[in-house]
Amino acid sequence: MKKKYDYLIVGAGLFGAVFANEMFQKGKSCLVIEKRDHIGGNIYTQNMNGINVHLYGAHIFHTNNLKIWNYIQQFAEFNRYTNSPVAKYKNELYNLPFNMNTFSKMWGISTPDEAKKIIEAQKKEIEGVPQNLEEQAISLVGRDIYEKLVKGYTEKQWGKSATELPAFIIKRLPVRFVYDNNYFNDKYQGIPIGGYTQIVEKMLKGIEVKLGVDYFSDKEKWDELAEKKVFTGMIDQFYDYCYGELEYRSLKFETEQLNVENYQGNAVVNYTEYDIPYTRIIEHKHFEFMCQSDNRCDHTIITKEYPADWNRGDEPYYPVNDEKNTKIYERYKELSMRESNVIFGGRLGMYKYFDMHNVIEEALKCAEREIEKE
Ligand SMILES: Cc1cc2nc3c(=O)[nH]c(=O)nc-3n(C[C@H](O)[C@H](O)[C@H](O)COP(=O)(O)OP(=O)(O)OC[C@H]3O[C@@H](n4cnc5c(N)ncnc54)[C@H](O)[C@@H]3O)c2cc1C
């Protein structure tokens, strides 16, 4: 007998929502279940006292793919926000990514030639192939930038000393010999005016969604309801950790309202000193130019982002794609390939650090494959 739904979608994050939207439009019946009490996964934004707050960390949409850029704009109008974070080390402020503004502040120089000479001279201390993150960073940007802007930040982020971390983590560090503080190289970039939640709301319009439901709390019941399943949770948990746990990094967010109009003058300020326990402070109103426009307000909302170890039950924000975990993941992936009725998607289902545009691309491809199978 045919089951009630064509698809059970576990997780109302971006992957689940894009997939559900595509299949719903093709006349398929979908049920989405989500363990949190809201839709959107980590791109969820909440309007708090007139400010759209990115509750799970700063999210800036960027892509080089015009198809994806056109796709996302069906669901929201985007502003011209350009990510240009600032790094704070002790009381010194530096522009990111590393560019002529950074070098000029660091060394009091003004031309690309001068900056290149200093970096070349400092790189020389690393001979041969870099053996760890510290050596890799110095071989890319020299010791001064490494000490002030990379070391403490990275050690807090990963909870390990830079000499214990593998070099591949920072295979590339954006270094530019121009005065340009735009963090991303992508052609298209912006923030949805009014926040991200509206996007997922529109994607899920007309689709049945149950919030506050953990798939694992009654797996059999949910499985019986649908012909096929799309799983966007942790793949190792799906298989009951039979090959062991995959590693993740977690985060803790501390959000507060302050009675000042403008706290730090920028949406993102990175704190690169090891002794300050958080890595960044986000001031949300700057994502929507609220100090430069008509919608001014005399308060602000900031979020401090603290890196944290992940233990079972914590939110798994970042997969740790090192050699050891990749090997474990490959074994889970092999199991997943044998499934005929389960699709694994998204950051946790595919154990990959995906940005939003990657997730959309993957979900669209996945929906296309499903439609082609018919
Ligand atoms: C701090 C941070 C900053 C980021 N910044 C950017 C950025 O600036 N730009 C960018 O493009 N990308 C950014 N990203 C990445 C972006 O968040 C992801 O690409 C995107 O949210 C992934 O969507 P997803 O659906 O795969 O996963 P998720 O958003 O994690 O959604 C998965 C959903 O499944 C639910 N779920 C899991 N297990 C179960 C279960 N057992 N039962 C029911 N529900 C379950 C979860 O609660 C979650 O809602 C950032 C990520 C983080 C963590």
Side-chain angles (χ1 to χ4, degrees):
M1 200 177 82
K2 191 171 174 331
K3 293 182 178 174
K4 186 167 173 204
Y5 299 96
D6 293 310
Y7 292 95
L8 168 73
I9 294 152
V10 180
L14 190 57
F15 190 98
V18 170
F19 182 87
N21 182 272
E22 289 293 302
M23 300 318 283
F24 183 71
Q25 286 187 47
K26 290 283 181 287
K28 299 290 172 194
S29 54
C30 301
L31 169 66
V32 180
I33 59 169
E34 166 57 56
K35 69 177 177 188
R36 294 181 188 171
D37 62 2
H38 61 74
I39 58 168
N42 290 337
I43 69 170
Y44 176 70
T45 47
Q46 188 181 336
N47 192 289
M48 293 163 79
N49 277 341
I51 298 172
N52 292 308
V53 175
H54 298 205
L55 275 185
Y56 301 96
H59 277 73
I60 298 110
F61 196 92
H62 59 98
T63 180
N64 251 331
N65 184 333
L66 181 59
K67 187 181 152 206
I68 301 298
W69 184 233
N70 287 335
Y71 172 84
I72 196 71
Q73 287 184 95
Q74 300 171 75
F75 303 99
E77 185 188 344
F78 279 67
N79 68 20
R80 60 158 185 89
Y81 182 82
T82 300
N83 191 28
S84 36
V86 166
K88 193 166 184 180
Y89 175 79
K90 306 217 162 145
N91 270 327
E92 299 166 20
L93 285 168
Y94 293 94
N95 289 109
L96 297 174
F98 307 135
N99 71 76
M100 284 306 298
N101 289 306
T102 331
F103 308 143
S104 170
K105 176 80 187 276
M106 184 79 63
W107 300 310
I109 50 98
S110 62
T111 66
D113 224 34
E114 290 170 298
K116 281 181 190 165
K117 277 190 185 128
I118 295 176
I119 293 175
E120 281 308 314
Q122 293 194 3
K123 278 164 134 179
K124 284 199 181 118
E125 72 169 276
I126 305 300
E127 287 164 9
V129 180
Q131 294 301 308
N132 54 46
L133 189 142
E134 175 169 297
E135 293 186 4
Q136 176 74 17
I138 295 172
S139 74
L140 290 170
V141 290
R143 184 163 283 276
D144 289 345
I145 292 178
Y146 166 70
E147 292 284 349
K148 289 189 172 178
L149 303 180
V150 179
K151 185 177 190 300
Y153 187 88
T154 314
E155 291 185 339
K156 286 191 280 190
Q157 183 102 332
W158 293 95
K160 281 185 186 156
S161 137
T163 52
E164 287 170 290
L165 286 165
F168 84 87
I169 294 181
I170 50 159
K171 264 254 139 33
R172 284 165 297 151
L173 269 181
V175 179
R176 294 189 195 135
F177 295 94
V178 287
Y179 288 92
D180 178 6
N181 297 326
N182 178 357
Y183 198 84
F184 299 117
N185 283 320
D186 290 344
K187 276 195 213 151
Y188 314 105
Q189 173 172 191
I191 298 280
I193 299 166
Y196 285 93
T197 306
Q198 58 176 327
I199 294 179
V200 179
E201 257 163 24
K202 287 180 200 162
M203 286 174 176
L204 293 175
K205 193 162 180 248
I207 297 169
E208 201 178 328
V209 179
K210 289 187 193 295
L211 297 176
V213 174
D214 189 332
Y215 168 71
F216 296 107
S217 66
D218 206 346
K219 201 167 167 297
E220 286 74 27
K221 171 179 136 190
W222 300 114
D223 285 347
E224 271 167 27
L225 286 177
E227 297 291 324
K228 276 192 166 184
K229 182 162 58 212
V230 174
F231 185 78
T232 71
M234 292 155 55
I235 189 167
D236 53 343
Q237 185 182 17
F238 185 90
Y239 288 113
D240 207 14
Y241 307 101
C242 64
Y243 296 135
E245 261 177 19
L246 287 164
E247 240 180 296
Y248 303 87
R249 289 292 294 161
S250 194
L251 294 168
K252 301 270 181 282
F253 298 103
E254 220 176 74
T255 296
E256 58 184 312
Q257 180 169 322
L258 304 174
N259 289 326
V260 292
E261 201 223 342
N262 186 355
Y263 174 72
Q264 61 184 17
N266 204 37
V268 183
V269 176
N270 289 5
Y271 284 76
T272 59
E273 260 167 90
Y274 186 80
D275 292 340
I276 293 178
Y278 41 86
T279 45
R280 337 192 251 183
I281 296 185
I282 309 304
E283 187 172 11
H284 303 272
K285 68 193 313 189
H286 297 302
F287 287 127
E288 296 187 60
F289 305 109
M290 287 180 72
C291 287
Q292 291 136 275
S293 59
D294 293 340
N295 56 343
R296 285 169 175 258
C297 57
D298 53 14
H299 62 277
T300 194
I301 297 181
I302 62 163
T303 301
K304 291 183 179 143
E305 195 173 305
Y306 297 82
D309 291 336
W310 177 86
N311 294 298
R312 266 192 215 188
D314 296 338
E315 279 294 340
Y317 287 103
Y318 300 114
V320 181
N321 293 115
D322 62 6
E323 214 176 301
K324 180 184 136 211
N325 287 292
T326 303
K327 274 192 189 143
I328 302 175
Y329 170 65
E330 286 304 325
R331 298 188 73 191
Y332 285 120
K333 192 175 164 197
E334 228 176 271
L335 277 187
S336 76
M337 310 256 276
R338 286 185 225 150
E339 308 272 1
S340 52
N341 295 324
V342 192
I343 297 164
F344 291 83
R347 207 172 37 104
L348 302 173
M350 297 164 88
Y351 196 66
K352 193 153 181 201
Y353 186 85
F354 281 137
D355 272 330
M356 292 178 274
H357 62 280
N358 307 120
V359 165
I360 294 173
E361 208 172 330
E362 289 294 326
L364 290 175
K365 272 197 280 186
C366 178
E368 219 170 278
R369 279 194 301 268
E370 281 301 289
I371 292 157
E372 273 168 15
K373 276 186 205 158
E374 301 251 308

